[in-house]
C-alpha cells in the first residue's frame, strides 16, 4: 500500500471492507451517506464458548467469509464489481491477523479493478456511522464519543477529517467492562445487551457504585475500578446467599448507571470545555444502549447524533463513508495510501 495513486475522478461509489475483529463486513455506499448495502457475517457463535474473541479463529474465518459477503454486498446493492470506483478498508486498530486478511483482499481487489485503495482508521470510522442516513446535516465543530468494546475515545472535530483526541480510557474500554461484569455473573459474550436487559428490571439505587474520576477535572475515563467494585459487591452477596434474580437485576442496573453516568459526565465536560461545539455524535457498540441514549439526551442541550442501531456495532458502511470524506476533503496524504505498517494496530489515535 505504499505506492500512491491519483484519485481522479473522485470516487462516489465505494466498497467498504471491515475485518478488524470478529465481523466480516462489506458495504456499498454512494456519496458517503447513501448505504446501498451493508452485509455483515458475524462469527459470534464461534467465539462464544471462549468468552471472548480468539484472534486466530477470527482471522481464519474472515478468509472463509470474504467471498460470500462480497457477493451479498454487491447483490443487495444491485451493483456489479466493475461499477465500484474505490475500495476502502479498515487498516487498524484491530487484531493483526484479522486486519491482514481484509487488507490483502482489498488490495487484490483494487489492483484487479484498477481503482484506488483507501485505508481507514476503524475508530474514526465509527464516528461516520453517526452520519449515515442522518436526518440532520453534520455541523462543525463537534464533539464525538466512541464507546465500543475496544475503545472509549472522545474527540473534538473542527472539520470532517479533523480527529483531535481529547480524552480516552486509561484502562478498560466501557464496552469491555460491560462484557467482563457480564462474564462474572455467567452471561455470555457480548455482555452489554444482556446486562442492559437485566438492568431494565432492576433498581439502580440499590448498590451504590463509585463515581469514577469525578475529582480529576479532565476528560480521562476509567473502568477497571468499577469492574472490581462490581465483583466485590457480587461476592459479598454470594457469601450471604443473597443472590437472586432481583439482586442480579439491581446489581446490573446500579453498574450500568455508573458506567453510563461516567460517559455522560465527561461528554458534558467536553462540551463545556469547547463552547463553540455545535453538535455531539455518540457511536460504537455501547451507543445501542437505550438507557445511555436517554441519559445523553437529558444532559446534552445540543443536537445529538446517534447511529441507527444496525450501524452501532462494526460494519463496513461506516468505513466506506469515512473513505469518501478522505477522498473528497482530504489532502493527498489523508486521502490516499500513505503506507500501511503491519504494526499499525499500535497507532492509536
Ligand atoms: O463497536 P462494537 O460492535 O465493536 C468494537 O469495535 O469493539 O462494540 C461492541 C461492544 C461490546 O463490548 C458490547 O458488549 C457492547 O459494545 N454493547 C453494549 C450494548 N450493545 C453492545 N453495551 C451496553 N449496552 C448495549 N446495549
Ligand atoms: Zn468497532
Amino acid at each position: 500500500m505504499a505506492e500512491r495513486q491519483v484519485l481522479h475522478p473522485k470516487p462516489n461509489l465505494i466498497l467498504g471492507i471491515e475485518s478488524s475483529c470478529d465481523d466480516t463486513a462489506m458495504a456499498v455506499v454512494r456519496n458517503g451517506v447513501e448505504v446501498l448495502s451493508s452485509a455483515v457475517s458475524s462469527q459470534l457463535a464461534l467465539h462464544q464458548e471462549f468468552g471472548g474473541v480468539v484472534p486466530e479463529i477470527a482471522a481464519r474465518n474472515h478468509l472463509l467469509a470474504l467471498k460470500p459477503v462480497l457477493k451479498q454486498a454487491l447483490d443487495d446493492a444491485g451493483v456489479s464489481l466493475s461499477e465500484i470506483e474505490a475500495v476502502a478498508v479498515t487498516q487498524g486498530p484491530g487484531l493483526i491477523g484479522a486486519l491482514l486478511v481484509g487488507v490483502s483482499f482489498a488490495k487484490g481487489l483494487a489492483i484487479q479493478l484498477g481503482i484506488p485503495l483507501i485505508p481507514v482508521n476503524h475508530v474514526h470510522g465509527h464516528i461516520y456511522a453517526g452520519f449515515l442516513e442522518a436526518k440532520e446535516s453534520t455541523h462543525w465543530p463537534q464533539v464525538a464519543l466512541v464507546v465500543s468494546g475496544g475503545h472509549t475515545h472522545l474527540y473534538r472535530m473542527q472539520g470532517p477529517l479533523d480527529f483531535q483526541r481529547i480524552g480516552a480510557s486509561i484502562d478498560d474500554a466501557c464496552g469491555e467492562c460491560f462484557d467482563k461484569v457480564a462474564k462474572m455473573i455467567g452471561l455470555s459474550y457480548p455482555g452489554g445487551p444482556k446486562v442492559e436487559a437485566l438492568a431494565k428490571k432492576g433498581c439502580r439505587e440499590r448498590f451504590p457504585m463509585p463515581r469514577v474520576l469525578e475529582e480529576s477535572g479532565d476528560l480521562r475515563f476509567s473502568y477497571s475500578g468499577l469492574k472490581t467494585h462490581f465483583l466485590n459487591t457480587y461476592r459479598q452477596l454470594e457469601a450471604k446467599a443473597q443472590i437472586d434474580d432481583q439482586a442480579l437485576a439491581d446489581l446490573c442496573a446500579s453498574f450500568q448507571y455508573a458506567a453510563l453516568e461516567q460517559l455522560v459526565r465527561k461528554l458534558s465536560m467536553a462540551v463545556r470545555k469547547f463552547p463553540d461545539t455545535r453538535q455531539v455524535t455518540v457511536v460504537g457498540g455501547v451507543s445501542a444502549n437505550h438507557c445511555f441514549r436517554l441519559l445523553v439526551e437529558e444532559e446534552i442541550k445540543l443536537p445529538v447524533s446517534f447511529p441507527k442501531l444496525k450501524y452501532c456495532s462494526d460494519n463496513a458502511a461506516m468505513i466506506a463513508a469515512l473513505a469518501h470524506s478522505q477522498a473528497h476533503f482530504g489532502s493527498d496524504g489523508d486521502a490516499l495510501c500513505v503506507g500501511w505498517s503491519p504494526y499499525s494496530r499500535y497507532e492509536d489515535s
Side-chain angles (χ1 to χ4, degrees), residues 49-187:
E49 67 173 293
F50 303 100
V53 178
V54 183
E56 174 77 16
I57 295 178
R60 286 170 184 264
N61 282 280
H62 283 309
L63 261 180
L64 295 176
L66 285 169
K67 215 172 142 189
V69 172
L70 175 63
K71 181 172 175 356
Q72 193 193 331
L74 294 172
D75 288 353
D76 290 354
V79 157
S80 71
L81 208 45
S82 60
E83 292 172 83
I84 299 293
E85 294 165 3
V87 179
V89 64
T90 298
Q91 66 159 347
L95 306 172
I96 194 70
L99 288 165
L100 277 167
V101 174
V103 168
S104 306
F105 184 75
K107 189 169 183 179
L109 210 53
I111 291 170
Q112 182 209 345
L113 297 170
I115 57 177
L117 179 68
I118 308 175
V120 171
N121 175 298
H122 178 82
V123 186
H124 298 174
H126 268 294
I127 297 175
Y128 271 68
F131 310 153
L132 288 171
E133 299 168 349
K135 286 189 214 104
E136 309 279 329
S137 51
T138 307
H139 300 290
W140 318 103
Q142 65 168 269
V143 167
L145 175 62
V146 184
V147 211
S148 67
H151 299 89
T152 306
H153 283 186
L154 198 50
Y155 294 89
R156 169 167 159 85
M157 295 180 70
Q158 290 177 280
L161 297 175
D162 176 42
F163 300 96
Q164 300 165 45
R165 201 166 88 187
I166 53 173
S169 176
I170 54 174
D171 40 56
D172 291 351
C174 181
E176 180 183 4
C177 185
F178 268 91
D179 295 334
K180 286 178 176 170
V181 305
K183 200 171 177 181
M184 289 170 195
I185 57 172
L187 301 174

Side-chain angles (χ1 to χ4, degrees), residues 12-35:
N12 285 315
L13 195 63
I14 298 183
L15 173 73
I17 299 180
E18 156 63 37
S19 72
S20 65
C21 191
D22 59 339
D23 289 314
T24 319
M26 296 197 207
V28 180
V29 176
R30 183 177 278 140
N31 299 329
V33 285
E34 198 189 330
V35 184

Side-chain angles (χ1 to χ4, degrees), residues 41-339:
S41 165
S42 169
Q43 301 180 9
L44 206 56
L46 298 172
H47 299 278
Q48 233 153 11
E49 67 173 293
F50 303 100
V53 178
V54 183
E56 174 77 16
I57 295 178
R60 286 170 184 264
N61 282 280
H62 283 309
L63 261 180
L64 295 176
L66 285 169
K67 215 172 142 189
V69 172
L70 175 63
K71 181 172 175 356
Q72 193 193 331
L74 294 172
D75 288 353
D76 290 354
V79 157
S80 71
L81 208 45
S82 60
E83 292 172 83
I84 299 293
E85 294 165 3
V87 179
V89 64
T90 298
Q91 66 159 347
L95 306 172
I96 194 70
L99 288 165
L100 277 167
V101 174
V103 168
S104 306
F105 184 75
K107 189 169 183 179
L109 210 53
I111 291 170
Q112 182 209 345
L113 297 170
I115 57 177
L117 179 68
I118 308 175
V120 171
N121 175 298
H122 178 82
V123 186
H124 298 174
H126 268 294
I127 297 175
Y128 271 68
F131 310 153
L132 288 171
E133 299 168 349
K135 286 189 214 104
E136 309 279 329
S137 51
T138 307
H139 300 290
W140 318 103
Q142 65 168 269
V143 167
L145 175 62
V146 184
V147 211
S148 67
H151 299 89
T152 306
H153 283 186
L154 198 50
Y155 294 89
R156 169 167 159 85
M157 295 180 70
Q158 290 177 280
L161 297 175
D162 176 42
F163 300 96
Q164 300 165 45
R165 201 166 88 187
I166 53 173
S169 176
I170 54 174
D171 40 56
D172 291 351
C174 181
E176 180 183 4
C177 185
F178 268 91
D179 295 334
K180 286 178 176 170
V181 305
K183 200 171 177 181
M184 289 170 195
I185 57 172
L187 301 174
S188 62
Y189 174 84
K194 288 147 201 149
V195 170
E196 181 182 17
L198 271 183
K200 276 201 184 110
K201 301 179 218 151
C203 164
R204 73 185 195 198
E205 269 105 39
R206 177 157 169 207
F207 298 108
M209 298 271 158
R211 284 171 67 89
V212 178
L213 288 179
E214 183 157 42
E215 309 300 322
S216 76
D218 60 28
L219 298 173
R220 290 177 305 157
F221 301 81
S222 167
Y223 281 96
S224 68
L226 190 58
K227 174 187 68 189
T228 308
H229 190 91
F230 179 99
L231 181 62
N232 290 341
T233 311
Y234 179 72
R235 283 191 177 146
Q236 281 160 16
L237 288 170
E238 218 175 21
K240 291 189 250 167
Q242 286 174 350
I243 298 281
D244 56 19
D245 287 352
Q246 194 55 52
L248 276 183
D250 293 344
L251 190 55
C252 284
S254 304
F255 159 76
Q256 175 177 265
Y257 181 69
L260 301 178
E261 182 278 332
Q262 186 186 159
L263 294 174
V264 177
R265 174 161 34 94
K266 299 287 176 164
L267 184 58
S268 179
M269 192 188 287
V271 170
R272 284 198 304 278
K273 190 169 172 189
F274 299 102
D276 60 350
T277 301
R278 295 180 60 207
Q279 179 183 326
V280 165
T281 300
V282 181
V283 298
V286 181
S287 73
N289 186 294
H290 183 64
C291 175
F292 181 34
R293 291 187 176 213
L294 293 179
L295 290 173
V296 171
E297 271 160 2
E298 253 170 51
E299 180 66 25
I300 303 293
K301 303 301 171 215
L302 293 169
V304 182
S305 169
F306 293 103
K308 290 189 169 171
L309 288 183
K310 61 183 168 183
Y311 302 132
C312 288
S313 49
D314 289 347
N315 66 85
M318 67 188 196
I319 301 303
L322 172 51
H324 181 268
S325 254
Q326 288 179 200
H328 285 255
F329 307 123
S331 64
D332 269 6
D334 287 328
L336 306 173
C337 305
V338 286

